[in-house]
Short mmCIF file of all heavy atoms in Angstrom, two decimals:
data_model
loop_
_atom_site.label_atom_id
_atom_site.label_comp_id
_atom_site.label_asym_id
_atom_site.label_seq_id
_atom_site.Cartn_x
_atom_site.Cartn_y
_atom_site.Cartn_z
N VAL R 335 -17.19 34.29 75.94
CA VAL R 335 -15.75 34.53 75.78
C VAL R 335 -15.49 35.43 74.56
O VAL R 335 -14.67 36.36 74.61
CB VAL R 335 -15.01 33.19 75.65
CG1 VAL R 335 -13.54 33.42 75.29
CG2 VAL R 335 -15.10 32.40 76.95
N VAL R 336 -16.19 35.16 73.47
CA VAL R 336 -16.01 35.98 72.27
C VAL R 336 -16.44 37.42 72.55
O VAL R 336 -15.80 38.38 72.11
CB VAL R 336 -16.81 35.39 71.10
CG1 VAL R 336 -16.82 36.32 69.90
CG2 VAL R 336 -16.24 34.04 70.69
N TYR R 337 -17.53 37.60 73.29
CA TYR R 337 -17.97 38.95 73.64
C TYR R 337 -16.91 39.66 74.48
O TYR R 337 -16.61 40.85 74.27
CB TYR R 337 -19.29 38.86 74.42
CG TYR R 337 -19.78 40.19 74.91
CD1 TYR R 337 -20.40 41.09 74.04
CD2 TYR R 337 -19.64 40.56 76.26
CE1 TYR R 337 -20.84 42.32 74.49
CE2 TYR R 337 -20.09 41.78 76.70
CZ TYR R 337 -20.69 42.66 75.82
OH TYR R 337 -21.12 43.88 76.27
N SER R 338 -16.32 38.91 75.44
CA SER R 338 -15.27 39.51 76.27
C SER R 338 -14.04 39.86 75.44
O SER R 338 -13.41 40.91 75.66
CB SER R 338 -14.89 38.55 77.41
OG SER R 338 -16.02 38.29 78.23
N LEU R 339 -13.67 39.02 74.47
CA LEU R 339 -12.54 39.34 73.60
C LEU R 339 -12.82 40.59 72.77
O LEU R 339 -11.91 41.40 72.53
CB LEU R 339 -12.25 38.15 72.68
CG LEU R 339 -11.58 36.93 73.34
CD1 LEU R 339 -11.48 35.77 72.35
CD2 LEU R 339 -10.18 37.30 73.85
N ASP R 340 -14.07 40.76 72.34
CA ASP R 340 -14.42 41.97 71.59
C ASP R 340 -14.22 43.22 72.45
O ASP R 340 -13.66 44.24 71.99
CB ASP R 340 -15.88 41.89 71.12
CG ASP R 340 -16.05 40.87 70.01
OD1 ASP R 340 -15.05 40.53 69.37
OD2 ASP R 340 -17.20 40.42 69.77
N LYS R 341 -14.65 43.15 73.69
CA LYS R 341 -14.47 44.29 74.59
C LYS R 341 -13.00 44.57 74.84
O LYS R 341 -12.55 45.73 74.85
CB LYS R 341 -15.20 44.03 75.91
CG LYS R 341 -16.70 43.85 75.77
CD LYS R 341 -17.38 45.14 75.39
CE LYS R 341 -17.35 46.15 76.51
NZ LYS R 341 -18.08 47.39 76.19
N ALA R 342 -12.23 43.47 75.02
CA ALA R 342 -10.79 43.64 75.29
C ALA R 342 -10.08 44.23 74.07
O ALA R 342 -9.17 45.07 74.20
CB ALA R 342 -10.17 42.30 75.67
N LEU R 343 -10.48 43.84 72.86
CA LEU R 343 -9.88 44.40 71.65
C LEU R 343 -10.20 45.88 71.52
O LEU R 343 -9.34 46.69 71.14
CB LEU R 343 -10.38 43.63 70.42
CG LEU R 343 -9.87 44.12 69.07
CD1 LEU R 343 -8.34 43.94 68.98
CD2 LEU R 343 -10.54 43.39 67.92
N GLN R 344 -11.42 46.26 71.85
CA GLN R 344 -11.79 47.67 71.77
C GLN R 344 -11.00 48.51 72.78
O GLN R 344 -10.66 49.68 72.50
CB GLN R 344 -13.30 47.83 72.01
CG GLN R 344 -14.16 47.24 70.90
CD GLN R 344 -15.63 47.32 71.23
OE1 GLN R 344 -16.01 47.89 72.26
NE2 GLN R 344 -16.47 46.75 70.34
N GLU R 345 -10.70 47.94 73.93
CA GLU R 345 -9.94 48.68 74.95
C GLU R 345 -8.44 48.60 74.75
O GLU R 345 -7.66 49.23 75.47
CB GLU R 345 -10.30 48.13 76.34
CG GLU R 345 -11.77 48.37 76.71
CD GLU R 345 -12.13 47.70 78.00
OE1 GLU R 345 -11.23 47.03 78.58
OE2 GLU R 345 -13.30 47.81 78.45
N GLY R 346 -7.96 47.78 73.77
CA GLY R 346 -6.54 47.66 73.49
C GLY R 346 -5.81 46.71 74.41
O GLY R 346 -4.57 46.72 74.45
N ALA R 347 -6.52 45.90 75.16
CA ALA R 347 -5.88 44.97 76.09
C ALA R 347 -5.35 43.74 75.39
O ALA R 347 -4.50 43.02 75.94
CB ALA R 347 -6.87 44.57 77.18
N VAL R 348 -5.86 43.43 74.17
CA VAL R 348 -5.46 42.23 73.45
C VAL R 348 -5.01 42.65 72.05
O VAL R 348 -5.71 43.44 71.38
CB VAL R 348 -6.63 41.24 73.35
CG1 VAL R 348 -6.23 40.01 72.54
CG2 VAL R 348 -7.10 40.81 74.73
N PRO R 349 -3.84 42.15 71.61
CA PRO R 349 -3.39 42.47 70.24
C PRO R 349 -4.38 41.90 69.21
O PRO R 349 -5.06 40.91 69.46
CB PRO R 349 -2.02 41.79 70.14
CG PRO R 349 -1.59 41.56 71.55
CD PRO R 349 -2.81 41.35 72.37
N PHE R 350 -4.38 42.50 68.07
CA PHE R 350 -5.35 42.12 67.04
C PHE R 350 -5.08 40.73 66.49
O PHE R 350 -6.03 39.95 66.27
CB PHE R 350 -5.30 43.15 65.89
CG PHE R 350 -6.35 42.90 64.85
CD1 PHE R 350 -7.69 43.14 65.11
CD2 PHE R 350 -6.00 42.41 63.61
CE1 PHE R 350 -8.65 42.89 64.15
CE2 PHE R 350 -6.97 42.17 62.64
CZ PHE R 350 -8.30 42.41 62.91
N ASP R 351 -3.81 40.37 66.27
CA ASP R 351 -3.53 39.04 65.73
C ASP R 351 -3.89 37.94 66.72
O ASP R 351 -4.41 36.89 66.36
CB ASP R 351 -2.06 38.94 65.31
CG ASP R 351 -1.14 39.28 66.47
OD1 ASP R 351 -1.65 39.82 67.51
OD2 ASP R 351 0.08 39.02 66.38
N GLN R 352 -3.62 38.19 68.01
CA GLN R 352 -4.00 37.21 69.03
C GLN R 352 -5.52 37.10 69.13
O GLN R 352 -6.07 36.00 69.32
CB GLN R 352 -3.41 37.62 70.39
CG GLN R 352 -3.68 36.58 71.49
CD GLN R 352 -3.03 36.98 72.82
OE1 GLN R 352 -2.33 38.01 72.88
NE2 GLN R 352 -3.27 36.20 73.84
N TYR R 353 -6.22 38.22 68.95
CA TYR R 353 -7.69 38.22 68.96
C TYR R 353 -8.23 37.35 67.84
O TYR R 353 -9.12 36.51 68.06
CB TYR R 353 -8.19 39.66 68.83
CG TYR R 353 -9.66 39.76 68.53
CD1 TYR R 353 -10.62 39.60 69.52
CD2 TYR R 353 -10.08 40.00 67.22
CE1 TYR R 353 -11.97 39.67 69.21
CE2 TYR R 353 -11.42 40.09 66.92
CZ TYR R 353 -12.37 39.92 67.92
OH TYR R 353 -13.71 40.00 67.60
N LEU R 354 -7.69 37.52 66.63
CA LEU R 354 -8.16 36.73 65.50
C LEU R 354 -7.90 35.25 65.70
O LEU R 354 -8.73 34.39 65.37
CB LEU R 354 -7.50 37.21 64.21
CG LEU R 354 -7.92 38.59 63.69
CD1 LEU R 354 -7.13 38.96 62.45
CD2 LEU R 354 -9.41 38.63 63.43
N ARG R 355 -6.73 34.90 66.23
CA ARG R 355 -6.39 33.50 66.44
C ARG R 355 -7.34 32.86 67.44
O ARG R 355 -7.83 31.74 67.25
CB ARG R 355 -4.93 33.40 66.89
CG ARG R 355 -4.43 31.96 66.99
CD ARG R 355 -2.90 31.90 67.14
NE ARG R 355 -2.42 32.73 68.23
CZ ARG R 355 -1.78 33.89 68.05
NH1 ARG R 355 -1.57 34.36 66.82
NH2 ARG R 355 -1.36 34.59 69.07
N ASN R 356 -7.58 33.56 68.55
CA ASN R 356 -8.47 33.00 69.58
C ASN R 356 -9.92 32.89 69.07
O ASN R 356 -10.62 31.90 69.34
CB ASN R 356 -8.44 33.88 70.83
CG ASN R 356 -7.09 33.79 71.54
OD1 ASN R 356 -6.39 32.77 71.44
ND2 ASN R 356 -6.69 34.84 72.24
N VAL R 357 -10.36 33.91 68.35
CA VAL R 357 -11.74 33.87 67.82
C VAL R 357 -11.89 32.73 66.83
O VAL R 357 -12.92 32.04 66.79
CB VAL R 357 -12.11 35.22 67.18
CG1 VAL R 357 -13.42 35.10 66.40
CG2 VAL R 357 -12.24 36.29 68.25
N ARG R 358 -10.86 32.46 65.99
CA ARG R 358 -10.93 31.38 65.03
C ARG R 358 -11.05 30.04 65.76
O ARG R 358 -11.87 29.18 65.39
CB ARG R 358 -9.70 31.39 64.14
CG ARG R 358 -9.79 30.39 62.98
CD ARG R 358 -8.51 30.36 62.17
NE ARG R 358 -8.15 31.65 61.68
CZ ARG R 358 -7.07 32.34 62.10
NH1 ARG R 358 -6.28 31.81 63.01
NH2 ARG R 358 -6.78 33.53 61.61
N LEU R 359 -10.23 29.85 66.78
CA LEU R 359 -10.27 28.59 67.53
C LEU R 359 -11.63 28.41 68.24
O LEU R 359 -12.22 27.33 68.23
CB LEU R 359 -9.12 28.55 68.54
CG LEU R 359 -7.71 28.50 67.94
CD1 LEU R 359 -6.66 28.61 69.05
CD2 LEU R 359 -7.50 27.22 67.15
N LEU R 360 -12.10 29.50 68.87
CA LEU R 360 -13.37 29.42 69.59
C LEU R 360 -14.54 29.19 68.63
O LEU R 360 -15.48 28.44 68.94
CB LEU R 360 -13.60 30.70 70.39
CG LEU R 360 -12.65 30.91 71.58
CD1 LEU R 360 -12.84 32.30 72.18
CD2 LEU R 360 -12.91 29.85 72.65
N SER R 361 -14.51 29.81 67.45
CA SER R 361 -15.59 29.63 66.49
C SER R 361 -15.66 28.20 65.99
O SER R 361 -16.76 27.63 65.82
CB SER R 361 -15.41 30.58 65.31
OG SER R 361 -15.45 31.93 65.74
#
Side-chain angles (χ1 to χ4, degrees):
V335 172
V336 172
Y337 176 77
S338 299
L339 287 174
D340 289 340
K341 298 291 291 183
L343 179 64
Q344 292 176 4
E345 295 174 359
V348 177
F350 185 71
D351 56 348
Q352 184 178 356
Y353 167 79
L354 291 177
R355 186 167 53 254
N356 291 333
V357 169
R358 188 184 304 112
L359 294 174
L360 291 172
S361 299

